[in-house]
Amino acid sequence: MVTLSDVARAAGVSLSTASRAINGSRDRTVSPELRQRVLSAAETLRYAPNAAAQAIARGRSTELSLIVHDITDPYFSSIAAGVTKAARAAGASVILGVTDHDPQEAIALIDSARSHRSQALVLVGGLTDDKTELARLQSAIDEFVEATGSAVALVGQPRLAVRSVAPANESGAADLARSLVALGHSSFAILTGPERHVTGQERTAGFRRGLGTAAAVSQLVPSSFDRDGGYGAMREVIAAGTLPDVVFAVNDVMAVGALVAARESGLVVPDDVGIAGFDDIPTLRDIVPALTTVRVPLERLGEIAVGLVLADDDHGPEELPVTVVLRDSTRR
Amino acid sequence: MVTLSDVARAAGVSLSTASRAINGSRDRTVSPELRQRVLSAAETLRYAPNAAAQAIARGRSTELSLIVHDITDPYFSSIAAGVTKAARAAGASVILGVTDHDPQEAIALIDSARSHRSQALVLVGGLTDDKTELARLQSAIDEFVEATGSAVALVGQPRLAVRSVAPANESGAADLARSLVALGHSSFAILTGPERHVTGQERTAGFRRGLGTAAAVSQLVPSSFDRDGGYGAMREVIAAGTLPDVVFAVNDVMAVGALVAARESGLVVPDDVGIAGFDDIPTLRDIVPALTTVRVPLERLGEIAVGLVLADDDHGPEELPVTVVLRDSTRR
DNA sequence: CCCCTGATGGCAAGCGTTTTCCCGAGCTGG
DNA sequence: CCAGCTCGGGAAAACGCTTGCCATCAGGGG
């Protein structure tokens, strides 16, 4: 294991000079000749600085912690892609944590980020509005901030007292509702996701507001926030008897589940029932009928979050504009 | 920023005792009473050990580096899920690197893993058979191993001199071919992926072997390894005029692209042309017609890789059995 | 010709842990 | 009753790096 001392010795300079030559400390310069000697010694020895040692000597690490619920979900993986890209551009490594939707685990992961003295924490998606759960999370975050002095960004959930960026859930859903009404649809069911899930709540509320008095919501069906949740919820809708014109699922993976449920029941989308989602995940483009949705710039969301924490762009909660995308699944 | 010294002071013990109380050093025990004092002091002060300091003092880190090409690709994200799960169970954090299919970047990420003195390196998928490229990669890996003394596992590509686990690409593809022939199909096209891509080569070779003399391959169409590659390649197949009974894409995302291309050309799958893929990615279950494929236990693959490097199960290259899954897309 | 200044090299003090080593206290067995 | 243990606590070294500070040297102004 070659250390900086080895490099210094090989170059015939002191440890300090070697250090300065290699990472070019500011306010100190090392003569070109020495620098060159050091650099080539490092090259010859294939020296790689010990990140942990640097972190401890400098008092700050170069890692960014990213916490998601499920990395196989296209929503999260798209955001993760944006985060890794931006982090890499900023010279940070990303530590990936997967909660598997377990709040306990989320807290454990935040604590782990604290242990790593991460330069930044990006927490993606899906908070509950359960008071005690939220308080626990908040205090874990507070401790992280206090211990590391670094910033935290929430993606998709501007509920806690930290920087955050989120899609325009409410207004996007409202726009979607209006577009569907304009198309002539007049009865709706909403697959709301978990009852305590804030994103689901916002999208549900926005959708209802957009509907105004022009149309009615016949059913609100809660379920888990994933594909199987959408599938199950849709089966409930179908079992209930009278079908609405359009079923709005608060996210795309749920909408996909709903679509499959409809198909399995022999229903033709959009003839028998329309389906709409939210997010515009990449996988959507391969399913038929093409799903109406609200496009959220997911990768961008991740990049912005990194900017928020790394560049210290403290603009308060950011809301990212979204756009309604009407496709075949709600054709009339 | 509370340190272990603070805890020790608060508990009225020495630094060493505090350290031993908290992480229970082996071959030394601390009296229950003191241990309790230390533990509760740590609790009160909300102490979190400094991971970097621990890493440097212990001489080994607790991180595992995971390198994938594209985290939004379900193939990679499924494997990543397995890796994070297993890593977490083993008490390791995972550092995620995304190469974006750039070999340069892969090497940079391996070097970064070296800097982090990662406990293990898991490199997923998609090597070329380009000699110089491969040599460069190999030497980056060698340096990693030499510097850290830790293990490297390759997932899906047992080409380099490291531990590896891969699906049975060749025999799986051969099985698939035989199954399709048994179904009565007799002419085939293969979307091979990039010409220099070893996985693609193996699957192509296996498929041809499985066909034997029973059937012919009319076309071999190379393309990139992703959805758009499959899409483009399928368009070539269609443009060529005579359609084969079945188009075999060497992975599922390509198969999905091919399916879309077929659909856009007004072809009905499987009536006009059949399509088969490889991997059985989770997203597959939501597309119609259901795609014939070869199931690879992706998450398991990731878990095994972690076992390989963390548990030191050195069994030589592991080959994971795969199973043919016949679905509607190749119905006759 | 001397003193001051700016540039550059090196020494050494940290950073927060773990771990080795030493030490005293209490036991055990002869 | 004492030599020789074992047991558990603490002091201090070590891990690999950064950085504050001092030292040295060359050059320039008075």
Side-chain angles (χ1 to χ4, degrees):
Chain A
M1 182 88 80
V2 26
T3 78
L4 188 54
S5 306
D6 299 334
V7 175
R9 195 170 323 118
V13 301
S14 77
L15 196 52
S16 3
T17 304
S19 169
R20 296 197 264 250
I22 286 184
N23 66 24
S25 96
R26 70 175 161 295
D27 73 79
R28 282 301 292 264
T29 83
V30 13
S31 71
E33 186 224 357
L34 280 197
R35 162 195 303 281
Q36 195 42 56
R37 271 212 333 255
V38 171
L39 256 32
S40 58
E43 179 57 31
T44 318
L45 292 162
R46 306 264 41 207
Y47 168 72
N50 183 321
Q54 294 192 131
I56 187 179
R58 293 188 178 139
R60 75 204 128 75
S61 87
T62 175
E63 277 111 39
L64 177 155
S65 290
L66 167 64
I67 301 182
V68 302
H69 287 156
D70 173 8
I71 193 65
T72 62
D73 182 324
Y75 174 79
F76 292 112
S77 62
S78 297
I79 292 176
V83 169
T84 49
K85 187 171 156 195
R88 185 118 193 95
S93 315
V94 357
I95 299 186
L96 173 67
V98 176
T99 70
D100 207 10
H101 298 280
D102 177 358
Q104 290 288 94
E105 191 62 15
I107 289 179
L109 286 167
I110 294 174
D111 287 346
S112 157
R114 182 153 68 106
S115 259
H116 281 96
R117 306 289 189 265
S118 292
Q119 210 179 111
L121 209 201
V122 176
L123 208 55
V124 183
L127 266 39
T128 130
D129 75 345
D130 177 303
K131 284 278 183 292
T132 65
E133 208 59 87
L134 219 50
R136 246 194 283 279
L137 205 61
Q138 179 72 62
S139 80
I141 292 178
D142 288 347
E143 276 160 21
F144 171 82
V145 171
E146 194 180 348
T148 63
S150 33
V152 176
L154 241 53
V155 175
Q157 210 61 250
R159 271 295 163 284
L160 301 178
V162 290
R163 299 160 194 212
S164 61
V165 52
N169 287 324
E170 210 273 349
S171 68
D175 289 348
L176 174 63
R178 277 189 289 267
S179 304
L180 294 175
V181 168
L183 240 41
H185 295 292
S186 60
S187 68
F188 297 89
I190 305 181
L191 314 187
T192 64
E195 319 224 12
R196 318 211 59 105
H197 195 290
V198 182
T199 302
Q201 292 171 355
E202 289 179 353
R203 293 179 180 178
T204 300
F207 195 84
R208 304 190 76 154
R209 180 172 67 79
L211 251 30
T213 56
V217 173
S218 57
Q219 287 178 80
L220 290 173
V221 189
S223 73
S224 65
F225 212 59
D226 52 17
R227 186 253 188 213
D228 291 339
Y231 180 89
M234 186 65 182
R235 292 183 62 105
E236 282 186 49
V237 171
I238 296 168
T242 54
L243 283 174
D245 291 345
V246 172
V247 173
F248 168 52
V250 294
N251 72 33
D252 281 342
V253 289
M254 291 176 60
V256 169
L259 181 60
V260 173
R263 192 151 56 211
E264 286 182 8
S265 298
L267 298 174
V268 176
V269 176
D271 301 351
D272 299 324
V273 61
I275 292 183
F278 204 114
D279 287 339
D280 201 23
I281 56 176
T283 42
L284 229 51
R285 62 177 182 165
D286 297 321
I287 75 149
V288 266
L291 266 183
T292 287
T293 189
V294 178
R295 171 169 306 148
V296 176
L298 295 172
E299 266 204 50
R300 190 88 195 84
L301 218 52
E303 293 177 11
I304 290 181
V306 173
L308 239 40
V309 284
L310 250 33
D312 245 10
D313 317 343
D314 197 356
H315 307 310
E318 297 235 13
E319 197 171 73
L320 219 58
V322 299
T323 58
V324 172
V325 183
L326 295 174
R327 299 205 184 97
D328 283 353
S329 67
T330 53
R331 205 177 352 106
R332 258 230 120 174
Chain B
M1 183 88 80
V2 25
T3 78
L4 188 55
S5 306
D6 299 334
V7 175
R9 195 170 323 119
V13 301
S14 76
L15 195 52
S16 0
T17 304
S19 168
R20 296 196 264 250
I22 287 185
N23 67 25
S25 96
R26 69 177 162 295
D27 73 79
R28 283 300 293 264
T29 82
V30 15
S31 72
E33 186 224 356
L34 281 198
R35 160 194 307 280
Q36 195 43 56
R37 274 221 318 264
V38 171
L39 256 31
S40 57
E43 179 57 32
T44 319
L45 293 165
R46 306 266 40 209
Y47 167 73
N50 182 321
Q54 294 193 130
I56 187 179
R58 293 187 178 139
R60 75 204 130 74
S61 87
T62 176
E63 276 111 38
L64 176 154
S65 289
L66 167 65
I67 301 182
V68 301
H69 287 156
D70 173 8
I71 193 64
T72 61
D73 182 325
Y75 174 79
F76 292 112
S77 62
S78 296
I79 292 176
V83 168
T84 49
K85 187 171 158 195
R88 184 119 193 93
S93 317
V94 356
I95 300 186
L96 173 67
V98 175
T99 70
D100 207 9
H101 297 282
D102 176 359
Q104 290 290 93
E105 190 64 14
I107 290 179
L109 286 167
I110 294 174
D111 286 347
S112 157
R114 184 153 67 106
S115 259
H116 280 97
R117 305 290 189 266
S118 291
Q119 210 177 112
L121 210 202
V122 176
L123 208 54
V124 184
L127 266 39
T128 130
D129 74 347
D130 176 303
K131 284 277 183 292
T132 65
E133 208 58 88
L134 219 52
R136 246 195 283 279
L137 205 63
Q138 178 72 61
S139 80
I141 292 178
D142 288 346
E143 276 160 19
F144 172 82
V145 172
E146 195 181 347
T148 62
S150 33
V152 176
L154 239 52
V155 176
Q157 210 61 251
R159 271 295 164 284
L160 301 178
V162 291
R163 298 162 194 209
S164 61
V165 53
N169 288 324
E170 211 273 349
S171 69
D175 289 348
L176 174 63
R178 278 189 288 268
S179 304
L180 293 175
V181 168
L183 240 41
H185 296 291
S186 60
S187 68
F188 297 88
I190 305 181
L191 313 188
T192 65
E195 319 224 11
R196 318 210 59 104
H197 195 288
V198 182
T199 303
Q201 292 171 355
E202 290 179 354
R203 292 179 180 177
T204 300
F207 195 84
R208 304 190 75 155
R209 180 172 68 80
L211 251 31
T213 56
V217 173
S218 57
Q219 286 178 78
L220 291 173
V221 188
S223 73
S224 67
F225 211 60
D226 52 17
R227 186 254 188 213
D228 291 339
Y231 180 89
M234 186 65 181
R235 292 183 62 106
E236 283 186 48
V237 171
I238 295 167
T242 53
L243 283 174
D245 291 346
V246 171
V247 173
F248 168 52
V250 294
N251 73 32
D252 280 342
V253 286
M254 290 175 61
V256 169
L259 180 61
V260 173
R263 193 152 55 213
E264 286 183 9
S265 298
L267 298 173
V268 176
V269 177
D271 300 350
D272 298 324
V273 61
I275 292 183
F278 204 114
D279 286 340
D280 201 24
I281 56 175
T283 42
L284 229 50
R285 62 178 182 164
D286 297 321
I287 74 149
V288 264
L291 266 183
T292 287
T293 189
V294 179
R295 172 169 305 148
V296 176
L298 295 172
E299 266 204 50
R300 190 90 195 82
L301 218 51
E303 293 177 11
I304 291 180
V306 173
L308 238 41
V309 283
L310 250 33
D312 245 10
D313 317 343
D314 196 357
H315 306 310
E318 296 236 13
E319 196 171 74
L320 218 59
V322 298
T323 59
V324 172
V325 184
L326 294 174
R327 299 205 183 98
D328 283 353
S329 67
T330 54
R331 207 181 348 108
R332 259 228 118 178

